[in-house]
């Protein structure tokens, strides 16, 4: 009798452990019933991703798009915020399964991480004080220009100008220093620059010059990831069924352009 009770107890424990393991895969932000993947993202890159100060929840175009793609692909996602250069390092080491944070697809990055198909066309634009005499990137040599650590704007400034480059962990700090007169200009991604000026400094800052380095955004993955194909299929599906357009209009206020 004692032996039977022991076997029964072992069987009950085994079933409980299996149930616990299964439940961890279905948690997260997606609505699917598949595995849960860790998504590295930025904490303050409006309107693509940011933490709502009132709710503490992550919001933005990238966040909603990633959830929609995950739903179509049949898996769940859990977001982890980090510094942008840390995000790229995370993709290199495989610490996180996916990365989304307005990440430009570049040849240099493609050497050590994989990308999905592009989902947004962007570029770099120069922001200056409203009363500034700076008219284009050709005018910044010898001046203090802010950018973000690990960003394509930081690379562009170092490769194409003789500006005194100040790289910030958080681009919002660069914008604030520009408003305070601590910087002469800031070079960063067009949609983020436009969004910040519209929401926070419409009378203090302006954009000047042409859009530079037109580069598309893609979803990043560790090199050799099996998720490239399902993510691309999910992205194609949300474009086809109209979900992409709905999310785009919500965050940018216009119909999405055709991605070439």
């Amino acid at each position: 009798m004692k032996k039977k009770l022991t076997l029964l107890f072992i069987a009950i424990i085994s079933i409980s452990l299996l149930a616990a393991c299964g439940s961890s895969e279905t948690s997260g932000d997606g609505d699917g019933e598949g595995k849960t993947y860790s998504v590295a993202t930025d904490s303050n890159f409006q309107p693509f991703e940011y933490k709502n100060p009132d709710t503490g929840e992550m919001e933005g175009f990238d966040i909603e798009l990633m959830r929609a793609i995950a739903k179509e692909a049949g898996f769940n996602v859990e977001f982890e915020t980090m510094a942008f250069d840390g995000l790229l390092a995370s993709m290199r080491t495989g610490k996180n399964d996916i990365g989304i944070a307005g990440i430009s697809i570049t040849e240099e990055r493609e050497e050590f991480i994989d990308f999905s198909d592009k989902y947004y066309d962007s570029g770099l634009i120069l922001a200056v004080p409203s009363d500034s005499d700076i008219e284009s990137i050709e005018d910044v040599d010898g001046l203090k220009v802010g950018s973000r650590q690990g960003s394509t704007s930081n690379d562009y400034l170092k490769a194409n100008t003789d500006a005194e480059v100040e790289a910030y962990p958080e681009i919002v700090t660069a914008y604030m220093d520009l408003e305070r007169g601590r910087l002469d200009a800031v070079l960063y991604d067009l949609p983020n620059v436009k969004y910040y000026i519209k929401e926070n400094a419409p009378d203090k800052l302006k954009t000047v010059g042409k859009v530079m380095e037109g580069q598309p955004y893609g979803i990043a993955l560790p090199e050799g990831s099996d998720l490239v194909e399902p993510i691309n299929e999910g992205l194609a599906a949300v474009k086809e069924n109209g979900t992409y357009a709905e999310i785009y209009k919500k965050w940018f206020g216009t119909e999405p352009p055709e991605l070439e």
Side-chain angles (χ1 to χ4, degrees):
M1 176 65 71
K2 185 180 291 185
K3 184 176 181 180
K4 290 182 178 179
L5 289 173
T6 300
L7 291 173
L8 179 61
F9 178 75
I10 292 173
I12 292 172
I13 292 298
S14 299
I15 291 170
S16 299
L17 288 173
L18 287 171
C21 290
S23 63
S24 66
E25 292 189 349
T26 59
S27 64
D29 297 291
D31 295 324
E33 297 181 354
K35 189 174 181 180
T36 298
Y37 292 105
S38 172
V39 181
T41 190
D42 194 355
S43 62
N44 198 2
F45 181 51
Q46 295 176 319
F48 289 87
E49 46 266 318
Y50 66 97
K51 185 171 289 188
N52 185 311
D54 297 323
T55 65
E57 298 294 325
M58 289 300 297
E59 297 180 358
F61 176 74
D62 280 352
I63 303 301
E64 290 196 29
L65 179 63
M66 189 68 248
R67 285 175 172 150
I69 291 172
K71 182 177 180 180
E72 290 292 337
F75 59 79
N76 299 294
V77 289
E78 291 180 337
F79 294 97
E80 179 181 353
T81 59
M82 60 188 68
F84 188 78
D85 51 353
L87 186 156
L88 296 178
S90 171
M91 293 297 99
R92 186 192 289 267
T93 62
K95 177 180 178 291
N96 293 89
D97 303 303
I98 302 167
I100 187 167
I103 306 170
S104 298
I105 302 172
T106 67
E107 291 183 2
E108 180 182 358
R109 289 171 180 170
E110 286 182 309
E111 291 179 0
F112 63 90
I113 60 178
D114 288 341
F115 281 98
S116 70
D117 294 335
K118 66 178 183 178
Y119 68 87
Y120 186 93
D121 279 324
S122 185
L124 307 178
I125 194 71
L126 200 63
V128 299
S130 297
D131 60 354
S132 174
D133 294 329
I134 296 172
E135 296 181 353
S136 71
I137 195 70
E138 284 77 20
D139 300 328
V140 302
D141 290 352
L143 301 181
K144 289 186 177 181
V145 183
S147 67
R148 189 168 191 187
Q149 292 177 358
S151 67
T152 54
S153 58
N154 192 49
D155 295 339
Y156 185 91
L157 286 168
K158 291 181 177 179
N160 297 281
T161 75
D162 290 320
E164 183 180 336
V165 182
E166 298 281 347
Y168 292 76
E170 297 291 340
I171 193 61
V172 171
T173 310
Y175 296 142
M176 294 173 67
D177 276 358
L178 182 61
E179 291 182 65
R180 294 166 180 157
R182 297 173 182 170
L183 293 172
D184 297 299
V186 169
L187 183 71
Y188 201 52
D189 292 32
L190 172 67
N192 186 251
V193 172
K194 291 281 193 180
Y195 186 87
Y196 182 87
I197 292 175
K198 179 175 72 73
E199 294 293 324
N200 302 284
D203 300 322
K204 297 179 180 179
L205 303 178
K206 64 181 180 180
T207 59
V208 295
K210 297 179 180 179
V211 177
M212 296 157 277
E213 293 286 289
Q215 294 169 327
Y217 290 165
I219 297 168
L221 304 109
E223 193 171 23
S225 173
D226 294 332
L227 289 173
V228 175
E229 184 175 349
I231 285 177
N232 281 339
E233 291 175 352
L235 176 58
V238 297
K239 288 180 179 178
E240 179 69 24
N241 64 26
T243 302
Y244 178 91
E246 290 178 6
I247 297 172
Y248 191 99
K249 284 186 286 186
K250 174 180 176 179
W251 291 101
F252 300 107
T254 62
E255 291 284 344
E258 291 290 332
L259 297 178
E260 298 179 358

